Amino acid sequence: MLSATLIRAGLPPRVESEPFYAVRQKRDLLDCHMIVKTEALRKRLAAWMSGAASVVQIGIGGGHLALLQKLLCPEAHLVTVDHPDSRVDKRHAKAAKHYTRAAGQWLQNHFAGSVQSLLGWPGATLTRFTQSHPEFRADLLHINGITPFFLNEYGAGVEMLKPEGYMIISNPRADQLRDRIQQLQLNGEISTPIDYADFGPRHGAVAVLRRL
């Protein structure tokens, strides 16, 4: 269980003096449907998430991949953004109400100074962030979950990338990911993915991309 691992590492997972994953969420961390449960997918993501000094992550969900990013790259400056109430459907909205706001607060508290957790519609929120922090540029843009607002979110996020930066897009459904890759190719944004892996139905897919 990840919460036990954090405690052993000296990072008690608490929000407002309560254990975040075990008590505030009222369930074991791994019971959350918003976590990447496929070990192979987690390993593939970790390989590409490693080494980044500055990261933008769209879609914090339960905070699991944001936490993984910080454990892989402790010195990295991480900016996360998600809507605290709903982004896609009622199932996500119910989970987000319990997970997203608390996860962002926990991450920002425990990695003070190196994590900024933004709440709001990702496209508009990142645009405002860029306007107020024009000096910030990311090595990595990680879009964690495809929504109906994908192109808007992608557009705001990609403007924050360094010229040599790259993108990770991960999603539970491979068909949605393939459709968005094709859309970006038709728009002249990307060419062939640097890496692509489909881990089967309900186990997710990941693509690593570089902007043309």
Side-chain angles (χ1 to χ4, degrees), residues 131-146:
Q131 291 169 349
S132 59
H133 300 79
E135 76 289 348
F136 180 83
R137 287 295 180 267
D139 301 309
L140 169 61
L141 168 64
H142 185 176
I143 300 177
N144 175 28
I146 290 171

Side-chain angles (χ1 to χ4, degrees), residues 35-50:
I35 191 172
V36 176
K37 296 184 178 180
T38 307
E39 185 66 21
L41 177 54
R42 281 198 294 268
K43 288 181 178 179
R44 184 69 66 95
L45 284 170
W48 286 104
M49 291 163 69
S50 299

Side-chain angles (χ1 to χ4, degrees), residues 105-119:
Q105 182 183 341
W106 186 90
L107 288 160
Q108 193 160 274
N109 288 348
H110 285 274
F111 300 103
S114 66
V115 172
Q116 291 171 273
S117 296
L118 311 178
L119 294 176

Side-chain angles (χ1 to χ4, degrees), residues 150-151 154 167 169 179-190 209:
F150 172 78
L151 286 180
Y154 166 86
M167 297 167 276
I169 305 177
D179 288 346
R180 294 302 176 267
I181 291 172
Q182 185 178 46
Q183 190 173 28
L184 293 176
Q185 289 172 327
L186 290 172
N187 290 348
E189 285 285 324
I190 62 169
L209 313 161

Side-chain angles (χ1 to χ4, degrees), residues 29-186:
L29 172 65
L30 298 180
D31 288 340
C32 172
H33 84 270
M34 299 164 77
I35 191 172
V36 176
K37 296 184 178 180
T38 307
E39 185 66 21
L41 177 54
R42 281 198 294 268
K43 288 181 178 179
R44 184 69 66 95
L45 284 170
W48 286 104
M49 291 163 69
S50 299
S54 51
V55 181
V56 174
Q57 186 181 102
I58 299 174
I60 184 175
H64 312 105
L65 290 181
L67 177 58
L68 176 60
Q69 183 69 68
K70 285 301 296 180
L71 295 178
L72 289 168
C73 308
E75 303 302 317
H77 184 173
L78 173 62
V79 176
T80 70
V81 60
D82 207 340
H83 196 281
D85 298 317
S86 66
R87 296 174 70 224
V88 185
D89 52 35
K90 291 181 179 179
R91 183 168 180 250
H92 183 107
K94 184 177 180 180
K97 181 178 181 180
H98 296 288
Y99 290 88
T100 301
R101 190 183 297 274
Q105 182 183 341
W106 186 90
L107 288 160
Q108 193 160 274
N109 288 348
H110 285 274
F111 300 103
S114 66
V115 172
Q116 291 171 273
S117 296
L118 311 178
L119 294 176
W121 297 108
T125 302
L126 288 180
T127 296
R128 289 194 296 270
F129 180 87
T130 300
Q131 291 169 349
S132 59
H133 300 79
E135 76 289 348
F136 180 83
R137 287 295 180 267
D139 301 309
L140 169 61
L141 168 64
H142 185 176
I143 300 177
N144 175 28
I146 290 171
T147 78
F149 316 106
F150 172 78
L151 286 180
N152 180 260
E153 296 171 353
Y154 166 86
V158 80
E159 290 303 316
M160 302 174 71
L161 268 182
K162 296 176 182 177
E164 68 277 14
Y166 62 98
M167 297 167 276
I168 297 173
I169 305 177
S170 50
N171 195 62
R173 287 179 51 184
D175 61 329
Q176 292 179 333
L177 178 54
R178 288 193 299 269
D179 288 346
R180 294 302 176 267
I181 291 172
Q182 185 178 46
Q183 190 173 28
L184 293 176
Q185 289 172 327
L186 290 172

